[in-house]
Amino acid sequence: MTVRTDLALECRELVGESEIEGVIEKKEEKQNVKITRIEIKTEKAALRLNKEMGNYITLELSPFSKSVCQNEKEIEIIAREIKSLIPNSDGTVLLVGLGNDNITPDAIGPKTIEASFATRHISESMPELNFRSVALFSPRVLGQTGIESSESVKAMVEKTNAECVIVIDALASKSINRLGCTVQICDTGISPGSGVNNKRKSLNQKSLGVPVIAIGIPTVVDALTIAYEAGGETVQNKNELSEMFVTPREIDVIIENASKVLALSIAKAMHQSYSVEDLYFLSL
Amino acid sequence: MTVRTDLALECRELVGESEIEGVIEKKEEKQNVKITRIEIKTEKAALRLNKEMGNYITLELSPFSKSVCQNEKEIEIIAREIKSLIPNSDGTVLLVGLGNDNITPDAIGPKTIEASFATRHISESMPELNFRSVALFSPRVLGQTGIESSESVKAMVEKTNAECVIVIDALASKSINRLGCTVQICDTGISPGSGVNNKRKSLNQKSLGVPVIAIGIPTVVDALTIAYEAGGETVQNKNELSEMFVTPREIDVIIENASKVLALSIAKAMHQSYSVEDLYFLSL
Amino acid sequence: MTVRTDLALECRELVGESEIEGVIEKKEEKQNVKITRIEIKTEKAALRLNKEMGNYITLELSPFSKSVCQNEKEIEIIAREIKSLIPNSDGTVLLVGLGNDNITPDAIGPKTIEASFATRHISESMPELNFRSVALFSPRVLGQTGIESSESVKAMVEKTNAECVIVIDALASKSINRLGCTVQICDTGISPGSGVNNKRKSLNQKSLGVPVIAIGIPTVVDALTIAYEAGGETVQNKNELSEMFVTPREIDVIIENASKVLALSIAKAMHQSYSVEDLYFLSL
Amino acid sequence: MTVRTDLALECRELVGESEIEGVIEKKEEKQNVKITRIEIKTEKAALRLNKEMGNYITLELSPFSKSVCQNEKEIEIIAREIKSLIPNSDGTVLLVGLGNDNITPDAIGPKTIEASFATRHISESMPELNFRSVALFSPRVLGQTGIESSESVKAMVEKTNAECVIVIDALASKSINRLGCTVQICDTGISPGSGVNNKRKSLNQKSLGVPVIAIGIPTVVDALTIAYEAGGETVQNKNELSEMFVTPREIDVIIENASKVLALSIAKAMHQSYSVEDLYFLSL
């Protein structure tokens, strides 16, 4: 039995030792934002943590359910971390919002796309605006379209000649305390089995052919994880529980708020010469 | 500690005896639909079951997540049960969709309203159409409007001179097996503490001044109920778990499908001279 | 034959003289915003202009279709004008978004409500936040609900004990040049025959019992007005043209942008101790 | 000056002669549906009519604004005509909804996709269901995504190995009488300059590499066309008028109804062993 989590921070906690070979870990605090940087440097460490090799940045923020707490400074901190993982060129960035917009905790990807603005069609004709070329895409889910996200995202990467993909996705945490107040940014893309609907295929440099930065916010805990935590291995109804997820009653406010904060943070990372306020009005 | 449920059927199961004084119970099966009728006839029985005195009809149907299963016959069966509880007059019926349309499992009320059609403005001027006068209202939730549903629904009842209210609401079940395949219809209205957001106030004949028929579908189980079931009284994090709910991964399909089936069933109960197919095209 | 317009500024232009008895008119320019204040002081002047007696403030702004142009200063200017017409008390303000959210140019009212935030439920319990009590309501349209907006708004005014109503509505202009770059604020409420759907009933102090401030943005021109302008009285198909309206191809951007600017402006007028940026994060 | 229209029927009317060389025209009436079949057989005829060579079927139906009029028979008639133009194989059909879902009269494409259901992911694994493989895609518009529809549709055709594309689009008519009561089905795809936003690029067999069936419903008239019709060549403000369109006040009902009728008609053409009623429940 394994507890399911998409957070490198929690995978690392589950291993539990004070130091893990092949893993570099740094903690920092800025403006009340706790930042943990985990680098998984070897295949062996990747196996122990059950996460791909690469860099994982976790930001612990004020809760997205309390909109008054977010502010320009948090956005600038998130933007800086995103920027640190994006290839330093001026090619097109394809921004992809994974997930099902009809299931509230899974809608963070499509909602972030909705709150973002595309510039690919104007960055070339109006270079004086200093926009990086950004294209937007929400693939929806297999049941809605008959097309796997991994197929349609690859088609878009090829057609737009994107140099890099940013995927936004809802994550599963093992702890309800992390829901709606954590952002994970990594350079390893999306792994199978993550998100609300855990049948997702890989979206990473190997499958897409370009670097893939993944930005995720935990919005659900598996119902099985809750049951295991309460009752241990004796849990009944495992099959049925595995088809259920747990999410906060205030998930609507979390998604609404988090998607706008992510959209602004990504815009700030893309179009650095603009202030957050300008970007807010641009994305109206 | 009590397990939370809004279903009279489950309250009755929790009591467990083969017969309960003051409770009349009948079971029936029609076209693969299991119908249980529970009448709570005394205050004492109401206290034992923790449900208001009145009539509760529970329909166990093919799952709403499998759209191909629903059909005209199921709709006609639900319609007949709704009709049996509606006052037999020709006054205006106010159809109220409770809940938060931004939280998928709580959206069944507003979505049913969206799939319904109003006739109050045409039933008088075009009596030849044989429509019963129906007005529609989705009060949304306190955090969205600053107004309690109970206040705004009462305001609408008074202003439309409604003779009767039908409220549609998402319910909490104690069992994940009942989610998305059960309809409860009752003549006792909505009680405090039901639904996804359990801070709801009463909507019943006493508070609204007219008969209130409630139609509900269980779409969530409290996270605490899942934890109790797995681990008993020793559960940690009770406060945090009480702010969480459990819902199926396919909740989007359940809500989409169930709201359209309810809308058609209610329309059939209201406008009896029309066929289900006609009503489908009317509600396009 | 009369050309149709909801703008006092255009009614005044149609009269054409340099001075009109009973009408006081002042023009001003602030930060590139042209402000025209028209006060209609007598019944005779009201008849000549075909507008109710009262105060009309018209702001000519940078186009709402160019989101980058809007900024904190414009919002503060609009807020100041709204504030000047609102009764100076601390009672509840009921914010009403008129119109049909399924018709893009008519959606400015409901969309402004969506971008606003309610405080009535927290202003009393948390006086330290310094929020004025604001309740939100979108009545939708008769065909959607079977209830006249005038009925349901009156019901809400009574139930919330509102001291004042602000209605937001789409307006008809006689000129396509005014679409999407004009805001009219007045203290006379809404008159019959205004908006996209011109069968609307009055919403004013007389019908609602409290002061009614109306905020409108012209988003359509009647198709008949366009035809008259091109061809004069000889226009064919008058009946059919009267069922049509004219609107810009970029109406989606206008509505999206204008509704957020209005929501922020109204919030600034309501909650004066907050900055526009704080209000933006509050309304996320 | 040319009057703009996307309807072959109107292009043919504009030429005006009783017979046109290279054009075959047939009229028929079934169940109150008027069907006109125009085949443009030569390049010369194509130039005269200003339409691509190919087959155009125009159905004149009862108005989509009166939902009660549509019925199973109309859907079966539309389905038969669609079927007649679809390649008779069992490869994947890519169903594409063009247009901007934020502008009501342009939303018919995306709304039809929303009301349709995908089968590509189940047709192979569950052949016993007898579904043709159908994938769904709504490319949105350039301003929303930074990607041309023609680019993203081509990407999807290649990735899904579609044998055929069906595009659904809003059309411009020259006459307000045709709005909301006409369906055009053709085998020539989409031409530049059609639709609400007339900057669209080609989507046809040449650009996509597979047969392209286009299904369109006229929902707008150009404002310039209305002005020309009223006033002739003397019209002022040509530039501004060309940025405006004319649409019916009841466009919301037309779009809602028409998109569901189209979705059912296409489903019937794809999955012939199912009844319209079954398909309705499948698409809930």
Side-chain angles (χ1 to χ4, degrees):
Chain A
M1 178 220 99
T2 52
V3 161
R4 180 163 162 244
T5 175
D6 298 324
L7 292 176
L9 191 68
E10 292 186 339
C11 292
R12 197 258 165 270
E13 285 171 8
L14 284 169
V15 172
E17 295 154 29
S18 65
E19 261 182 68
I20 303 171
E21 207 187 303
V23 175
I24 298 177
E25 193 180 352
K26 284 181 200 159
K27 286 186 181 286
E28 185 184 348
E29 186 154 347
K30 277 190 207 170
Q31 310 265 8
N32 295 320
V33 178
K34 275 173 38 186
I35 306 179
T36 307
R37 290 171 221 279
I38 293 176
E39 188 182 353
I40 304 179
K41 295 178 74 81
T42 63
E43 278 298 349
K44 201 177 139 198
L47 273 169
R48 281 203 71 189
L49 264 69
N50 196 24
K51 294 295 284 178
E52 301 288 319
M53 278 174 58
N55 291 284
Y56 298 84
I57 303 168
T58 312
L59 307 170
E60 292 171 85
L61 302 153
S62 45
F64 286 120
S65 52
K66 301 229 165 58
S67 54
V68 75
C69 298
Q70 269 70 43
N71 56 39
E72 217 170 304
K73 272 168 202 146
E74 277 195 10
I75 287 168
E76 279 169 358
I77 292 169
I78 304 172
R80 207 171 310 137
E81 299 301 330
I82 295 169
K83 180 72 189 154
S84 76
L85 296 183
I86 299 279
N88 206 344
S89 83
D90 55 5
T92 292
V93 175
L94 180 65
L95 197 59
V96 174
L98 293 180
N100 184 338
D101 54 342
N102 289 328
I103 298 181
T104 311
D106 203 27
I108 188 115
K111 284 262 188 190
T112 301
I113 294 300
E114 221 179 86
S116 296
F117 60 100
T119 53
R120 179 172 172 260
H121 56 308
I122 50 175
S123 61
E124 211 170 301
S125 57
M126 296 191 267
E128 70 278 13
L129 291 178
N130 272 318
F131 284 134
R132 180 155 187 176
S133 167
V134 176
L136 308 181
F137 183 53
S138 284
R140 313 187 73 200
V141 295
L142 183 61
Q144 294 173 318
T145 61
I147 308 171
E148 276 279 358
S149 303
S150 52
E151 291 179 286
S152 54
V153 172
K154 190 161 173 52
M156 288 301 162
V157 169
E158 290 165 3
K159 200 56 86 187
T160 59
N161 278 316
E163 289 206 3
C164 158
V165 173
I166 299 178
V167 288
I168 302 112
D169 198 10
L171 303 178
S173 165
K174 70 179 178 65
S175 157
I176 56 181
N177 297 318
R178 299 225 192 265
L179 301 182
C181 56
T182 313
V183 175
Q184 177 176 277
I185 308 166
C186 70
D187 58 8
T188 61
I190 297 284
S191 300
S194 59
V196 172
N197 170 354
N198 51 17
K199 283 163 205 152
R200 194 153 289 160
K201 292 194 179 168
S202 290
L203 284 174
N204 53 29
Q205 178 141 19
K206 198 177 156 199
S207 67
L208 296 183
V210 296
V212 181
I213 310 307
I215 305 176
I217 292 183
T219 60
V220 296
V221 175
D222 271 17
L224 253 177
T225 301
I226 296 285
Y228 278 139
E229 200 164 287
E233 288 292 338
T234 62
V235 170
Q236 306 291 310
N237 302 330
K238 281 184 199 175
N239 284 344
E240 281 151 337
L241 280 169
S242 72
E243 292 305 309
M244 304 277 147
F245 62 80
V246 178
T247 201
R249 290 188 201 283
E250 63 201 344
I251 187 65
D252 57 330
V253 182
I254 292 173
I255 294 299
E256 196 62 24
N257 198 350
S259 58
K260 288 182 186 163
V261 167
L262 283 192
L264 278 178
S265 303
I266 295 166
K268 180 69 188 163
M270 297 292 106
H271 317 297
Q272 306 227 8
S273 58
Y274 287 83
S275 71
V276 171
E277 200 202 316
D278 283 347
L279 293 167
Y280 162 58
F281 283 107
L282 278 161
S283 65
L284 270 186
Chain B
M1 180 220 96
T2 52
V3 162
R4 182 167 160 239
T5 175
D6 297 324
L7 292 175
L9 191 67
E10 291 186 340
C11 292
R12 197 259 165 269
E13 284 170 10
L14 285 169
V15 172
E17 297 154 29
S18 65
E19 261 183 68
I20 303 171
E21 206 188 305
V23 175
I24 298 176
E25 194 179 352
K26 285 180 199 159
K27 286 185 183 287
E28 185 183 349
E29 188 154 345
K30 277 191 208 169
Q31 311 265 5
N32 296 320
V33 178
K34 275 175 36 187
I35 306 179
T36 308
R37 292 171 220 279
I38 294 176
E39 188 182 354
I40 305 180
K41 295 178 73 81
T42 63
E43 277 298 348
K44 203 177 140 199
L47 272 170
R48 280 203 72 189
L49 265 68
N50 197 24
K51 295 294 285 177
E52 301 288 319
M53 278 174 61
N55 291 284
Y56 298 84
I57 303 168
T58 312
L59 307 171
E60 291 170 85
L61 303 153
S62 46
F64 286 119
S65 53
K66 303 228 166 58
S67 52
V68 75
C69 299
Q70 270 70 42
N71 55 39
E72 216 170 305
K73 272 168 202 147
E74 276 195 13
I75 287 169
E76 279 170 358
I77 292 170
I78 305 173
R80 205 170 313 134
E81 299 302 330
I82 295 170
K83 180 72 187 155
S84 78
L85 295 184
I86 299 281
N88 205 344
S89 84
D90 56 2
T92 291
V93 174
L94 180 66
L95 196 58
V96 173
L98 292 181
N100 185 338
D101 53 344
N102 290 327
I103 299 180
T104 310
D106 203 26
I108 188 116
K111 285 261 188 191
T112 301
I113 294 299
E114 223 179 84
S116 297
F117 60 100
T119 52
R120 178 173 173 259
H121 55 309
I122 50 174
S123 61
E124 210 170 302
S125 56
M126 297 191 268
E128 70 278 13
L129 292 177
N130 270 319
F131 284 135
R132 181 156 185 175
S133 166
V134 176
L136 308 181
F137 183 52
S138 284
R140 314 188 73 198
V141 295
L142 183 62
Q144 295 173 317
T145 62
I147 309 172
E148 277 280 358
S149 303
S150 53
E151 290 179 287
S152 55
V153 173
K154 190 162 173 52
M156 288 301 163
V157 169
E158 290 165 1
K159 201 56 85 184
T160 59
N161 278 316
E163 288 206 4
C164 159
V165 173
I166 299 178
V167 288
I168 302 112
D169 198 10
L171 302 178
S173 165
K174 70 179 178 66
S175 159
I176 57 182
N177 297 319
R178 299 221 192 269
L179 300 183
C181 56
T182 313
V183 175
Q184 176 177 278
I185 308 167
C186 70
D187 59 7
T188 62
I190 297 285
S191 300
S194 59
V196 173
N197 170 355
N198 52 15
K199 284 165 202 149
R200 193 153 291 160
K201 293 194 179 168
S202 291
L203 284 175
N204 53 29
Q205 178 141 18
K206 197 176 156 198
S207 69
L208 297 183
V210 296
V212 180
I213 309 307
I215 304 177
I217 292 182
T219 60
V220 297
V221 175
D222 271 17
L224 253 177
T225 300
I226 297 284
Y228 278 138
E229 200 164 288
E233 287 292 337
T234 62
V235 170
Q236 305 291 310
N237 302 331
K238 282 185 198 174
N239 284 344
E240 282 152 338
L241 280 169
S242 71
E243 293 305 309
M244 304 277 146
F245 63 81
V246 178
T247 201
R249 290 188 202 283
E250 63 201 343
I251 187 66
D252 57 329
V253 182
I254 293 172
I255 295 299
E256 196 62 24
N257 199 348
S259 58
K260 287 181 186 164
V261 167
L262 283 192
L264 278 178
S265 303
I266 295 167
K268 180 69 188 163
M270 296 292 106
H271 317 297
Q272 307 228 8
S273 58
Y274 287 83
S275 72
V276 171
E277 200 203 316
D278 284 346
L279 293 167
Y280 162 58
F281 283 107
L282 278 162
S283 66
L284 271 185
Chain C
M1 179 221 97
T2 52
V3 162
R4 184 167 157 238
T5 175
D6 297 324
L7 291 176
L9 191 66
E10 292 187 338
C11 293
R12 197 259 165 270
E13 284 170 10
L14 284 170
V15 172
E17 296 154 30
S18 65
E19 261 182 66
I20 303 171
E21 208 188 303
V23 175
I24 298 177
E25 194 178 353
K26 284 181 200 160
K27 286 184 181 288
E28 185 184 348
E29 188 155 346
K30 276 191 208 170
Q31 311 264 5
N32 295 321
V33 177
K34 273 172 41 184
I35 307 178
T36 307
R37 291 171 220 281
I38 293 176
E39 188 182 353
I40 304 179
K41 295 179 73 82
T42 63
E43 278 297 349
K44 201 177 140 199
L47 273 169
R48 280 203 71 189
L49 265 67
N50 196 24
K51 294 294 285 178
E52 301 287 319
M53 278 173 61
N55 291 284
Y56 298 84
I57 302 168
T58 313
L59 306 170
E60 291 169 86
L61 302 153
S62 46
F64 285 119
S65 52
K66 302 227 166 57
S67 53
V68 74
C69 299
Q70 269 70 44
N71 56 40
E72 215 170 306
K73 273 168 202 148
E74 276 194 13
I75 288 168
E76 279 169 358
I77 291 170
I78 304 172
R80 207 171 311 134
E81 300 300 330
I82 296 169
K83 180 71 187 157
S84 77
L85 295 184
I86 299 279
N88 206 343
S89 83
D90 55 4
T92 291
V93 174
L94 180 66
L95 197 57
V96 174
L98 293 181
N100 184 338
D101 54 343
N102 289 328
I103 299 182
T104 312
D106 203 27
I108 188 114
K111 285 263 186 187
T112 301
I113 294 300
E114 223 179 83
S116 297
F117 60 100
T119 53
R120 178 171 172 258
H121 55 307
I122 50 175
S123 60
E124 211 170 302
S125 57
M126 296 191 268
E128 69 279 13
L129 293 178
N130 270 319
F131 285 136
R132 179 153 187 178
S133 166
V134 176
L136 307 181
F137 183 52
S138 285
R140 312 188 74 200
V141 296
L142 183 62
Q144 294 174 317
T145 61
I147 308 171
E148 277 280 359
S149 303
S150 53
E151 290 179 287
S152 54
V153 173
K154 190 161 174 53
M156 289 302 162
V157 169
E158 290 166 1
K159 201 57 85 185
T160 59
N161 277 317
E163 289 206 3
C164 159
V165 173
I166 298 179
V167 288
I168 302 112
D169 197 11
L171 302 179
S173 165
K174 70 179 177 66
S175 159
I176 57 182
N177 297 318
R178 298 221 192 270
L179 301 182
C181 56
T182 313
V183 175
Q184 176 176 278
I185 309 166
C186 69
D187 59 7
T188 61
I190 297 285
S191 300
S194 59
V196 172
N197 170 353
N198 52 16
K199 284 167 203 147
R200 193 154 290 159
K201 293 194 181 169
S202 292
L203 285 175
N204 53 30
Q205 178 141 18
K206 197 175 157 200
S207 68
L208 296 182
V210 297
V212 181
I213 309 307
I215 304 177
I217 291 183
T219 60
V220 296
V221 176
D222 271 17
L224 253 178
T225 301
I226 297 284
Y228 278 138
E229 201 165 287
E233 287 292 337
T234 61
V235 170
Q236 305 290 311
N237 302 330
K238 282 184 198 175
N239 284 343
E240 282 152 338
L241 280 169
S242 71
E243 292 306 308
M244 304 276 146
F245 63 79
V246 178
T247 200
R249 290 189 202 281
E250 63 202 341
I251 187 67
D252 57 329
V253 182
I254 292 173
I255 295 300
E256 196 62 24
N257 198 349
S259 58
K260 288 181 185 162
V261 167
L262 283 191
L264 278 178
S265 302
I266 295 166
K268 180 67 189 165
M270 297 292 106
H271 317 297
Q272 307 228 7
S273 59
Y274 287 83
S275 72
V276 171
E277 200 201 316
D278 284 347
L279 293 167
Y280 162 59
F281 283 107
L282 277 161
S283 65
L284 271 186
Chain D
M1 179 220 101
T2 52
V3 163
R4 181 165 160 243
T5 175
D6 297 324
L7 292 175
L9 190 67
E10 291 186 338
C11 293
R12 197 260 165 271
E13 284 170 9
L14 284 169
V15 172
E17 297 153 29
S18 65
E19 262 182 65
I20 303 171
E21 207 188 303
V23 175
I24 298 177
E25 193 179 353
K26 283 182 200 157
K27 285 185 183 287
E28 186 183 348
E29 188 155 346
K30 276 189 208 170
Q31 311 266 6
N32 295 320
V33 178
K34 275 175 34 188
I35 307 179
T36 308
R37 290 171 221 280
I38 294 176
E39 188 182 354
I40 305 180
K41 295 178 74 81
T42 63
E43 277 298 349
K44 200 176 140 199
L47 272 170
R48 278 203 74 188
L49 265 67
N50 196 25
K51 295 294 285 178
E52 301 287 319
M53 277 172 62
N55 290 286
Y56 298 84
I57 303 168
T58 311
L59 306 170
E60 293 171 85
L61 303 152
S62 45
F64 286 119
S65 53
K66 302 229 165 56
S67 53
V68 74
C69 299
Q70 270 71 43
N71 55 40
E72 218 170 304
K73 273 168 203 147
E74 276 194 10
I75 287 168
E76 279 170 358
I77 292 170
I78 304 172
R80 207 171 310 135
E81 299 301 329
I82 296 170
K83 180 71 188 154
S84 76
L85 296 183
I86 299 278
N88 206 343
S89 84
D90 55 3
T92 291
V93 174
L94 179 66
L95 197 58
V96 173
L98 293 181
N100 185 338
D101 54 342
N102 289 328
I103 298 182
T104 311
D106 204 26
I108 188 116
K111 284 261 188 190
T112 301
I113 295 300
E114 223 178 85
S116 297
F117 61 100
T119 52
R120 178 173 173 258
H121 55 307
I122 51 175
S123 59
E124 210 170 303
S125 57
M126 296 191 267
E128 70 279 13
L129 291 179
N130 270 318
F131 285 135
R132 179 155 188 177
S133 166
V134 176
L136 307 182
F137 182 52
S138 284
R140 311 188 74 197
V141 295
L142 183 62
Q144 293 173 320
T145 61
I147 308 171
E148 277 279 358
S149 303
S150 52
E151 291 180 286
S152 55
V153 173
K154 189 161 174 52
M156 287 302 161
V157 169
E158 290 164 3
K159 202 55 88 187
T160 59
N161 277 317
E163 289 206 3
C164 158
V165 173
I166 298 178
V167 288
I168 302 112
D169 198 10
L171 302 178
S173 165
K174 71 178 178 67
S175 158
I176 56 182
N177 296 319
R178 299 224 192 267
L179 301 182
C181 57
T182 313
V183 175
Q184 177 176 276
I185 309 166
C186 69
D187 58 8
T188 61
I190 296 285
S191 300
S194 60
V196 172
N197 170 355
N198 50 16
K199 284 164 204 150
R200 194 154 289 162
K201 293 194 180 168
S202 291
L203 285 175
N204 53 30
Q205 179 141 16
K206 198 177 156 198
S207 68
L208 297 183
V210 295
V212 180
I213 309 307
I215 304 177
I217 291 183
T219 60
V220 296
V221 175
D222 271 17
L224 253 176
T225 300
I226 297 283
Y228 278 139
E229 200 165 286
E233 287 292 338
T234 62
V235 170
Q236 306 290 311
N237 301 329
K238 282 183 199 175
N239 285 343
E240 282 151 338
L241 280 169
S242 71
E243 292 305 309
M244 303 277 146
F245 63 79
V246 178
T247 201
R249 290 188 203 284
E250 62 200 344
I251 187 65
D252 57 329
V253 183
I254 292 173
I255 295 299
E256 197 63 24
N257 198 350
S259 58
K260 289 182 185 162
V261 167
L262 283 191
L264 279 177
S265 303
I266 295 166
K268 180 68 187 162
M270 297 292 106
H271 317 299
Q272 305 227 9
S273 59
Y274 287 82
S275 71
V276 171
E277 199 201 316
D278 283 347
L279 293 167
Y280 163 59
F281 283 107
L282 277 162
S283 66
L284 270 185

